[in-house]
PDB file of all heavy atoms in Angstrom:
ATOM      1  N   ALA A  37       0.849  -1.185   0.012  1.00  0.00           N
ATOM      2  CA  ALA A  37       0.000  -0.009   0.000  1.00  0.00           C
ATOM      3  C   ALA A  37       0.873   1.251  -0.001  1.00  0.00           C
ATOM      4  O   ALA A  37       1.887   1.312   0.694  1.00  0.00           O
ATOM      5  CB  ALA A  37      -0.906  -0.018   1.227  1.00  0.00           C
ATOM      6  N   PRO A  38       0.519   2.245  -0.781  1.00  0.00           N
ATOM      7  CA  PRO A  38       1.302   3.499  -0.784  1.00  0.00           C
ATOM      8  C   PRO A  38       1.127   4.249   0.528  1.00  0.00           C
ATOM      9  O   PRO A  38       0.149   4.008   1.264  1.00  0.00           O
ATOM     10  CB  PRO A  38       0.688   4.279  -1.951  1.00  0.00           C
ATOM     11  CG  PRO A  38      -0.707   3.778  -2.018  1.00  0.00           C
ATOM     12  CD  PRO A  38      -0.658   2.324  -1.647  1.00  0.00           C
ATOM     13  N   THR A  39       2.018   5.170   0.826  1.00  0.00           N
ATOM     14  CA  THR A  39       1.906   5.970   2.033  1.00  0.00           C
ATOM     15  C   THR A  39       1.872   7.456   1.751  1.00  0.00           C
ATOM     16  O   THR A  39       1.484   8.258   2.611  1.00  0.00           O
ATOM     17  CB  THR A  39       3.101   5.721   2.966  1.00  0.00           C
ATOM     18  OG1 THR A  39       4.314   6.047   2.270  1.00  0.00           O
ATOM     19  CG2 THR A  39       3.125   4.236   3.397  1.00  0.00           C
ATOM     20  N   SER A  40       2.222   7.855   0.545  1.00  0.00           N
ATOM     21  CA  SER A  40       2.333   9.268   0.190  1.00  0.00           C
ATOM     22  C   SER A  40       1.687   9.553  -1.158  1.00  0.00           C
ATOM     23  O   SER A  40       1.637   8.681  -2.060  1.00  0.00           O
ATOM     24  CB  SER A  40       3.817   9.666   0.136  1.00  0.00           C
ATOM     25  OG  SER A  40       3.987  10.939  -0.454  1.00  0.00           O
ATOM     26  N   MET A  41       1.223  10.783  -1.342  1.00  0.00           N
ATOM     27  CA  MET A  41       0.720  11.218  -2.633  1.00  0.00           C
ATOM     28  C   MET A  41       1.815  11.175  -3.699  1.00  0.00           C
ATOM     29  O   MET A  41       1.539  11.180  -4.895  1.00  0.00           O
ATOM     30  CB  MET A  41       0.138  12.635  -2.528  1.00  0.00           C
ATOM     31  CG  MET A  41      -1.265  12.706  -2.002  1.00  0.00           C
ATOM     32  SD  MET A  41      -2.478  12.145  -3.233  1.00  0.00           S
ATOM     33  CE  MET A  41      -4.011  12.590  -2.403  1.00  0.00           C
ATOM     34  N   ALA A  42       3.068  11.142  -3.262  1.00  0.00           N
ATOM     35  CA  ALA A  42       4.167  11.063  -4.209  1.00  0.00           C
ATOM     36  C   ALA A  42       4.075   9.825  -5.088  1.00  0.00           C
ATOM     37  O   ALA A  42       4.654   9.773  -6.191  1.00  0.00           O
ATOM     38  CB  ALA A  42       5.495  11.078  -3.461  1.00  0.00           C
ATOM     39  N   ALA A  43       3.325   8.809  -4.653  1.00  0.00           N
ATOM     40  CA  ALA A  43       3.133   7.588  -5.464  1.00  0.00           C
ATOM     41  C   ALA A  43       2.500   7.924  -6.829  1.00  0.00           C
ATOM     42  O   ALA A  43       2.708   7.151  -7.779  1.00  0.00           O
ATOM     43  CB  ALA A  43       2.279   6.609  -4.702  1.00  0.00           C
ATOM     44  N   LEU A  44       1.789   8.988  -6.924  1.00  0.00           N
ATOM     45  CA  LEU A  44       1.148   9.379  -8.183  1.00  0.00           C
ATOM     46  C   LEU A  44       2.189   9.593  -9.295  1.00  0.00           C
ATOM     47  O   LEU A  44       1.857   9.430 -10.475  1.00  0.00           O
ATOM     48  CB  LEU A  44       0.306  10.649  -8.001  1.00  0.00           C
ATOM     49  CG  LEU A  44      -0.902  10.584  -7.069  1.00  0.00           C
ATOM     50  CD1 LEU A  44      -1.499  11.966  -6.857  1.00  0.00           C
ATOM     51  CD2 LEU A  44      -1.965   9.618  -7.627  1.00  0.00           C
ATOM     52  N   TRP A  45       3.398   9.934  -8.895  1.00  0.00           N
ATOM     53  CA  TRP A  45       4.460  10.209  -9.883  1.00  0.00           C
ATOM     54  C   TRP A  45       5.304   8.957 -10.173  1.00  0.00           C
ATOM     55  O   TRP A  45       6.175   9.009 -11.022  1.00  0.00           O
ATOM     56  CB  TRP A  45       5.390  11.317  -9.338  1.00  0.00           C
ATOM     57  CG  TRP A  45       4.853  12.697  -9.507  1.00  0.00           C
ATOM     58  CD1 TRP A  45       5.136  13.588 -10.513  1.00  0.00           C
ATOM     59  CD2 TRP A  45       3.963  13.388  -8.621  1.00  0.00           C
ATOM     60  NE1 TRP A  45       4.484  14.774 -10.315  1.00  0.00           N
ATOM     61  CE2 TRP A  45       3.734  14.686  -9.134  1.00  0.00           C
ATOM     62  CE3 TRP A  45       3.309  13.047  -7.435  1.00  0.00           C
ATOM     63  CZ2 TRP A  45       2.909  15.623  -8.551  1.00  0.00           C
ATOM     64  CZ3 TRP A  45       2.476  13.988  -6.832  1.00  0.00           C
ATOM     65  CH2 TRP A  45       2.283  15.261  -7.380  1.00  0.00           C
ATOM     66  N   ASP A  46       5.046   7.837  -9.534  1.00  0.00           N
ATOM     67  CA  ASP A  46       5.845   6.636  -9.729  1.00  0.00           C
ATOM     68  C   ASP A  46       5.690   6.162 -11.170  1.00  0.00           C
ATOM     69  O   ASP A  46       4.570   5.903 -11.637  1.00  0.00           O
ATOM     70  CB  ASP A  46       5.349   5.561  -8.743  1.00  0.00           C
ATOM     71  CG  ASP A  46       6.288   4.362  -8.691  1.00  0.00           C
ATOM     72  OD1 ASP A  46       6.857   4.006  -9.740  1.00  0.00           O
ATOM     73  OD2 ASP A  46       6.431   3.799  -7.602  1.00  0.00           O
ATOM     74  N   PRO A  47       6.808   5.979 -11.918  1.00  0.00           N
ATOM     75  CA  PRO A  47       6.757   5.607 -13.336  1.00  0.00           C
ATOM     76  C   PRO A  47       6.011   4.283 -13.584  1.00  0.00           C
ATOM     77  O   PRO A  47       5.478   4.063 -14.671  1.00  0.00           O
ATOM     78  CB  PRO A  47       8.223   5.472 -13.713  1.00  0.00           C
ATOM     79  CG  PRO A  47       8.959   6.335 -12.740  1.00  0.00           C
ATOM     80  CD  PRO A  47       8.189   6.240 -11.437  1.00  0.00           C
ATOM     81  N   GLN A  48       5.972   3.384 -12.593  1.00  0.00           N
ATOM     82  CA  GLN A  48       5.317   2.095 -12.824  1.00  0.00           C
ATOM     83  C   GLN A  48       3.803   2.262 -13.007  1.00  0.00           C
ATOM     84  O   GLN A  48       3.108   1.354 -13.445  1.00  0.00           O
ATOM     85  CB  GLN A  48       5.586   1.142 -11.688  1.00  0.00           C
ATOM     86  CG  GLN A  48       5.007   1.489 -10.340  1.00  0.00           C
ATOM     87  CD  GLN A  48       5.252   0.462  -9.282  1.00  0.00           C
ATOM     88  OE1 GLN A  48       4.960  -0.725  -9.456  1.00  0.00           O
ATOM     89  NE2 GLN A  48       5.811   0.903  -8.144  1.00  0.00           N
ATOM     90  N   TYR A  49       3.273   3.454 -12.667  1.00  0.00           N
ATOM     91  CA  TYR A  49       1.834   3.701 -12.815  1.00  0.00           C
ATOM     92  C   TYR A  49       1.534   4.618 -14.009  1.00  0.00           C
ATOM     93  O   TYR A  49       0.474   5.240 -14.057  1.00  0.00           O
ATOM     94  CB  TYR A  49       1.257   4.254 -11.535  1.00  0.00           C
ATOM     95  CG  TYR A  49       1.508   3.373 -10.355  1.00  0.00           C
ATOM     96  CD1 TYR A  49       2.189   3.837  -9.227  1.00  0.00           C
ATOM     97  CD2 TYR A  49       1.073   2.060 -10.339  1.00  0.00           C
ATOM     98  CE1 TYR A  49       2.464   3.013  -8.143  1.00  0.00           C
ATOM     99  CE2 TYR A  49       1.318   1.217  -9.255  1.00  0.00           C
ATOM    100  CZ  TYR A  49       2.034   1.711  -8.171  1.00  0.00           C
ATOM    101  OH  TYR A  49       2.272   0.874  -7.096  1.00  0.00           O
ATOM    102  N   ALA A  50       2.422   4.654 -14.965  1.00  0.00           N
ATOM    103  CA  ALA A  50       2.206   5.470 -16.171  1.00  0.00           C
ATOM    104  C   ALA A  50       0.910   5.098 -16.859  1.00  0.00           C
ATOM    105  O   ALA A  50       0.663   3.914 -17.166  1.00  0.00           O
ATOM    106  CB  ALA A  50       3.402   5.305 -17.129  1.00  0.00           C
ATOM    107  N   GLY A  51       0.069   6.089 -17.069  1.00  0.00           N
ATOM    108  CA  GLY A  51      -1.214   5.865 -17.737  1.00  0.00           C
ATOM    109  C   GLY A  51      -2.259   5.202 -16.887  1.00  0.00           C
ATOM    110  O   GLY A  51      -3.351   4.833 -17.376  1.00  0.00           O
ATOM    111  N   LYS A  52      -2.021   5.093 -15.559  1.00  0.00           N
ATOM    112  CA  LYS A  52      -2.946   4.392 -14.697  1.00  0.00           C
ATOM    113  C   LYS A  52      -3.410   5.260 -13.532  1.00  0.00           C
ATOM    114  O   LYS A  52      -3.906   4.759 -12.514  1.00  0.00           O
ATOM    115  CB  LYS A  52      -2.289   3.117 -14.151  1.00  0.00           C
ATOM    116  CG  LYS A  52      -1.940   2.109 -15.226  1.00  0.00           C
ATOM    117  CD  LYS A  52      -1.345   0.834 -14.633  1.00  0.00           C
ATOM    118  CE  LYS A  52      -1.024  -0.176 -15.727  1.00  0.00           C
ATOM    119  NZ  LYS A  52      -0.512  -1.443 -15.143  1.00  0.00           N
ATOM    120  N   VAL A  53      -3.257   6.582 -13.651  1.00  0.00           N
ATOM    121  CA  VAL A  53      -3.619   7.500 -12.574  1.00  0.00           C
ATOM    122  C   VAL A  53      -4.811   8.354 -13.001  1.00  0.00           C
ATOM    123  O   VAL A  53      -4.858   8.911 -14.111  1.00  0.00           O
ATOM    124  CB  VAL A  53      -2.436   8.418 -12.227  1.00  0.00           C
ATOM    125  CG1 VAL A  53      -2.881   9.547 -11.299  1.00  0.00           C
ATOM    126  CG2 VAL A  53      -1.311   7.622 -11.593  1.00  0.00           C
ATOM    127  N   LEU A  54      -5.810   8.446 -12.114  1.00  0.00           N
ATOM    128  CA  LEU A  54      -6.909   9.398 -12.298  1.00  0.00           C
ATOM    129  C   LEU A  54      -6.596  10.602 -11.425  1.00  0.00           C
ATOM    130  O   LEU A  54      -6.435  10.485 -10.205  1.00  0.00           O
ATOM    131  CB  LEU A  54      -8.239   8.789 -11.871  1.00  0.00           C
ATOM    132  CG  LEU A  54      -8.830   7.667 -12.732  1.00  0.00           C
ATOM    133  CD1 LEU A  54     -10.199   7.249 -12.209  1.00  0.00           C
ATOM    134  CD2 LEU A  54      -8.903   8.080 -14.180  1.00  0.00           C
ATOM    135  N   ALA A  55      -6.542  11.781 -12.037  1.00  0.00           N
ATOM    136  CA  ALA A  55      -6.215  13.010 -11.323  1.00  0.00           C
ATOM    137  C   ALA A  55      -7.443  13.908 -11.303  1.00  0.00           C
ATOM    138  O   ALA A  55      -8.362  13.770 -12.139  1.00  0.00           O
ATOM    139  CB  ALA A  55      -5.045  13.715 -11.968  1.00  0.00           C
ATOM    140  N   TYR A  56      -7.462  14.834 -10.357  1.00  0.00           N
ATOM    141  CA  TYR A  56      -8.625  15.732 -10.191  1.00  0.00           C
ATOM    142  C   TYR A  56      -8.393  17.032 -10.944  1.00  0.00           C
ATOM    143  O   TYR A  56      -7.301  17.603 -10.902  1.00  0.00           O
ATOM    144  CB  TYR A  56      -8.834  16.000  -8.710  1.00  0.00           C
ATOM    145  CG  TYR A  56     -10.033  16.892  -8.408  1.00  0.00           C
ATOM    146  CD1 TYR A  56     -11.291  16.545  -8.853  1.00  0.00           C
ATOM    147  CD2 TYR A  56      -9.861  18.074  -7.694  1.00  0.00           C
ATOM    148  CE1 TYR A  56     -12.402  17.359  -8.595  1.00  0.00           C
ATOM    149  CE2 TYR A  56     -10.973  18.883  -7.403  1.00  0.00           C
ATOM    150  CZ  TYR A  56     -12.232  18.509  -7.881  1.00  0.00           C
ATOM    151  OH  TYR A  56     -13.317  19.312  -7.597  1.00  0.00           O
ATOM    152  N   ASP A  57      -9.438  17.510 -11.583  1.00  0.00           N
ATOM    153  CA  ASP A  57      -9.322  18.707 -12.444  1.00  0.00           C
ATOM    154  C   ASP A  57      -9.585  19.982 -11.639  1.00  0.00           C
ATOM    155  O   ASP A  57     -10.674  20.558 -11.683  1.00  0.00           O
ATOM    156  CB  ASP A  57     -10.317  18.576 -13.593  1.00  0.00           C
ATOM    157  CG  ASP A  57     -10.091  19.653 -14.663  1.00  0.00           C
ATOM    158  OD1 ASP A  57      -9.142  20.440 -14.514  1.00  0.00           O
ATOM    159  OD2 ASP A  57     -10.851  19.670 -15.644  1.00  0.00           O
ATOM    160  N   ASN A  58      -8.557  20.410 -10.862  1.00  0.00           N
ATOM    161  CA  ASN A  58      -8.719  21.617 -10.052  1.00  0.00           C
ATOM    162  C   ASN A  58      -7.314  22.186  -9.745  1.00  0.00           C
ATOM    163  O   ASN A  58      -6.516  21.483  -9.125  1.00  0.00           O
ATOM    164  CB  ASN A  58      -9.464  21.313  -8.774  1.00  0.00           C
ATOM    165  CG  ASN A  58      -9.607  22.539  -7.879  1.00  0.00           C
ATOM    166  OD1 ASN A  58      -8.656  22.906  -7.181  1.00  0.00           O
ATOM    167  ND2 ASN A  58     -10.779  23.165  -7.890  1.00  0.00           N
ATOM    168  N   GLY A  59      -7.054  23.392 -10.167  1.00  0.00           N
ATOM    169  CA  GLY A  59      -5.749  23.970  -9.994  1.00  0.00           C
ATOM    170  C   GLY A  59      -5.363  24.274  -8.556  1.00  0.00           C
ATOM    171  O   GLY A  59      -4.255  23.966  -8.107  1.00  0.00           O
ATOM    172  N   GLU A  60      -6.326  24.832  -7.786  1.00  0.00           N
ATOM    173  CA  GLU A  60      -6.010  25.193  -6.379  1.00  0.00           C
ATOM    174  C   GLU A  60      -5.582  23.976  -5.601  1.00  0.00           C
ATOM    175  O   GLU A  60      -4.538  23.988  -4.939  1.00  0.00           O
ATOM    176  CB  GLU A  60      -7.216  25.852  -5.738  1.00  0.00           C
ATOM    177  CG  GLU A  60      -7.423  27.306  -6.089  1.00  0.00           C
ATOM    178  CD  GLU A  60      -8.367  28.019  -5.154  1.00  0.00           C
ATOM    179  OE1 GLU A  60      -8.466  27.617  -3.959  1.00  0.00           O
ATOM    180  OE2 GLU A  60      -9.022  28.978  -5.605  1.00  0.00           O
ATOM    181  N   HIS A  61      -6.381  22.909  -5.653  1.00  0.00           N
ATOM    182  CA  HIS A  61      -6.061  21.715  -4.868  1.00  0.00           C
ATOM    183  C   HIS A  61      -4.793  21.039  -5.340  1.00  0.00           C
ATOM    184  O   HIS A  61      -3.984  20.560  -4.528  1.00  0.00           O
ATOM    185  CB  HIS A  61      -7.249  20.753  -4.930  1.00  0.00           C
ATOM    186  CG  HIS A  61      -8.414  21.212  -4.132  1.00  0.00           C
ATOM    187  ND1 HIS A  61      -9.546  20.441  -3.970  1.00  0.00           N
ATOM    188  CD2 HIS A  61      -8.653  22.353  -3.432  1.00  0.00           C
ATOM    189  CE1 HIS A  61     -10.441  21.108  -3.213  1.00  0.00           C
ATOM    190  NE2 HIS A  61      -9.908  22.239  -2.901  1.00  0.00           N
ATOM    191  N   ASN A  62      -4.580  20.970  -6.630  1.00  0.00           N
ATOM    192  CA  ASN A  62      -3.396  20.291  -7.155  1.00  0.00           C
ATOM    193  C   ASN A  62      -2.119  21.014  -6.732  1.00  0.00           C
ATOM    194  O   ASN A  62      -1.138  20.347  -6.391  1.00  0.00           O
ATOM    195  CB  ASN A  62      -3.482  20.174  -8.666  1.00  0.00           C
ATOM    196  CG  ASN A  62      -4.250  18.945  -9.101  1.00  0.00           C
ATOM    197  OD1 ASN A  62      -3.808  17.815  -8.898  1.00  0.00           O
ATOM    198  ND2 ASN A  62      -5.443  19.132  -9.660  1.00  0.00           N
ATOM    199  N   PHE A  63      -2.129  22.325  -6.771  1.00  0.00           N
ATOM    200  CA  PHE A  63      -0.946  23.074  -6.335  1.00  0.00           C
ATOM    201  C   PHE A  63      -0.688  22.826  -4.839  1.00  0.00           C
ATOM    202  O   PHE A  63       0.453  22.644  -4.411  1.00  0.00           O
ATOM    203  CB  PHE A  63      -1.089  24.570  -6.659  1.00  0.00           C
ATOM    204  CG  PHE A  63      -0.547  24.956  -7.985  1.00  0.00           C
ATOM    205  CD1 PHE A  63      -1.332  24.830  -9.108  1.00  0.00           C
ATOM    206  CD2 PHE A  63       0.734  25.463  -8.136  1.00  0.00           C
ATOM    207  CE1 PHE A  63      -0.852  25.182 -10.370  1.00  0.00           C
ATOM    208  CE2 PHE A  63       1.234  25.812  -9.386  1.00  0.00           C
ATOM    209  CZ  PHE A  63       0.436  25.674 -10.528  1.00  0.00           C
ATOM    210  N   SER A  64      -1.752  22.877  -4.051  1.00  0.00           N
ATOM    211  CA  SER A  64      -1.587  22.714  -2.594  1.00  0.00           C
ATOM    212  C   SER A  64      -1.105  21.294  -2.231  1.00  0.00           C
ATOM    213  O   SER A  64      -0.193  21.129  -1.409  1.00  0.00           O
ATOM    214  CB  SER A  64      -2.899  23.033  -1.876  1.00  0.00           C
ATOM    215  OG  SER A  64      -3.266  24.387  -2.053  1.00  0.00           O
ATOM    216  N   VAL A  65      -1.747  20.278  -2.801  1.00  0.00           N
ATOM    217  CA  VAL A  65      -1.350  18.914  -2.479  1.00  0.00           C
ATOM    218  C   VAL A  65       0.064  18.623  -2.951  1.00  0.00           C
ATOM    219  O   VAL A  65       0.866  18.000  -2.233  1.00  0.00           O
ATOM    220  CB  VAL A  65      -2.350  17.905  -3.119  1.00  0.00           C
ATOM    221  CG1 VAL A  65      -1.827  16.465  -3.042  1.00  0.00           C
ATOM    222  CG2 VAL A  65      -3.701  17.984  -2.422  1.00  0.00           C
ATOM    223  N   THR A  66       0.403  19.093  -4.138  1.00  0.00           N
ATOM    224  CA  THR A  66       1.787  18.895  -4.642  1.00  0.00           C
ATOM    225  C   THR A  66       2.783  19.614  -3.726  1.00  0.00           C
ATOM    226  O   THR A  66       3.889  19.098  -3.523  1.00  0.00           O
ATOM    227  CB  THR A  66       1.881  19.365  -6.082  1.00  0.00           C
ATOM    228  OG1 THR A  66       0.895  18.695  -6.858  1.00  0.00           O
ATOM    229  CG2 THR A  66       3.271  19.079  -6.654  1.00  0.00           C
ATOM    230  N   ALA A  67       2.416  20.772  -3.236  1.00  0.00           N
ATOM    231  CA  ALA A  67       3.327  21.508  -2.319  1.00  0.00           C
ATOM    232  C   ALA A  67       3.618  20.646  -1.102  1.00  0.00           C
ATOM    233  O   ALA A  67       4.777  20.629  -0.613  1.00  0.00           O
ATOM    234  CB  ALA A  67       2.684  22.823  -1.908  1.00  0.00           C
ATOM    235  N   LEU A  68       2.626  19.952  -0.574  1.00  0.00           N
ATOM    236  CA  LEU A  68       2.851  19.087   0.588  1.00  0.00           C
ATOM    237  C   LEU A  68       3.780  17.959   0.258  1.00  0.00           C
ATOM    238  O   LEU A  68       4.600  17.554   1.101  1.00  0.00           O
ATOM    239  CB  LEU A  68       1.508  18.542   1.096  1.00  0.00           C
ATOM    240  CG  LEU A  68       0.528  19.564   1.699  1.00  0.00           C
ATOM    241  CD1 LEU A  68      -0.801  18.888   2.023  1.00  0.00           C
ATOM    242  CD2 LEU A  68       1.130  20.196   2.975  1.00  0.00           C
ATOM    243  N   THR A  69       3.715  17.424  -0.967  1.00  0.00           N
ATOM    244  CA  THR A  69       4.595  16.277  -1.310  1.00  0.00           C
ATOM    245  C   THR A  69       6.054  16.671  -1.410  1.00  0.00           C
ATOM    246  O   THR A  69       6.940  15.799  -1.291  1.00  0.00           O
ATOM    247  CB  THR A  69       4.174  15.644  -2.679  1.00  0.00           C
ATOM    248  OG1 THR A  69       4.426  16.557  -3.747  1.00  0.00           O
ATOM    249  CG2 THR A  69       2.703  15.261  -2.674  1.00  0.00           C
ATOM    250  N   VAL A  70       6.322  17.974  -1.605  1.00  0.00           N
ATOM    251  CA  VAL A  70       7.739  18.409  -1.680  1.00  0.00           C
ATOM    252  C   VAL A  70       8.187  19.071  -0.392  1.00  0.00           C
ATOM    253  O   VAL A  70       9.251  19.692  -0.336  1.00  0.00           O
ATOM    254  CB  VAL A  70       7.970  19.347  -2.897  1.00  0.00           C
ATOM    255  CG1 VAL A  70       7.712  18.591  -4.184  1.00  0.00           C
ATOM    256  CG2 VAL A  70       7.125  20.601  -2.816  1.00  0.00           C
ATOM    257  N   GLY A  71       7.353  18.976   0.672  1.00  0.00           N
ATOM    258  CA  GLY A  71       7.757  19.447   1.974  1.00  0.00           C
ATOM    259  C   GLY A  71       7.513  20.905   2.277  1.00  0.00           C
ATOM    260  O   GLY A  71       8.100  21.466   3.219  1.00  0.00           O
TER     261      GLY A  71
END
């Protein structure tokens, strides 16, 4: 089981990720993944 949103960027899941269509949330969540 994954533990971090960083798993979304894992190359083994290329073409297998559903992402949410919203700029505010995506910027904020991504900011958390980089600390």
